[in-house]
């Protein structure tokens, strides 16, 4: 199970770069991310090399942030691989709240990072269907 960092940030010029700059200055690598915005604020979700340190340095910079467990499933780099994962979840009556892409630095394979209502149960379902769960996205 991975820990994702979620950052609530003002939707204004330079804000995202300020966050990435803070992470860079603290030697934290961004391994995957997705942003969702609204008119005034957005949520930046990231898998990073050091979630705890990320929370610490971002909070010091007055960002509201938290960690959330997310599921990371390795999938073959081929047409339809993500569809097969989603079909398996659909057949198990599982809703996926959001996804984004990273990759396993050891194997070079894509990793679908996803959030569901019960990531631990979904992880077991997918492992039983032959998928590999990734515990951390190493650099």
């Amino acid at each position: 199970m991975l820990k994702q960092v979620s950052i609530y940030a003002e939707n204004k010029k330079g804000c995202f770069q300020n966050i990435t700059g803070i992470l860079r200055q603290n030697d934290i690598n961004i391994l995957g991310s997705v942003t969702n915005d609204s008119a005034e604020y957005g949520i930046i979700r990231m898998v990073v090399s050091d979630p705890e340190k990320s929370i610490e340095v971002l909070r010091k910079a007055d960002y509201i942030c938290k960690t959330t467990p997310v599921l990371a499933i390795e999938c073959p780099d081929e047409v339809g691989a993500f569809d097969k994962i989603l079909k398996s979840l659909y057949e198990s009556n599982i809703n996926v709240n959001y996804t984004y892409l990273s990759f396993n630095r050891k194997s070079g394979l894509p990793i679908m990072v996803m959030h569901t209502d019960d990531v631990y149960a979904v992880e077991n379902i997918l492992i039983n269907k032959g998928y590999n769960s990734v515990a951390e996205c190493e650099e």
Side-chain angles (χ1 to χ4, degrees), residues 74-89:
E74 191 174 70
C75 59
D77 188 5
E78 62 189 35
V79 174
F82 186 42
D83 179 60
K84 289 176 185 174
I85 292 171
L86 291 176
K87 186 175 182 179
S88 292
L89 295 176

Side-chain angles (χ1 to χ4, degrees), residues 42-53:
I43 301 172
I44 302 166
R45 294 180 171 106
M46 298 179 173
V47 175
V48 296
S49 58
D50 191 337
E52 288 77 20
K53 186 176 179 181

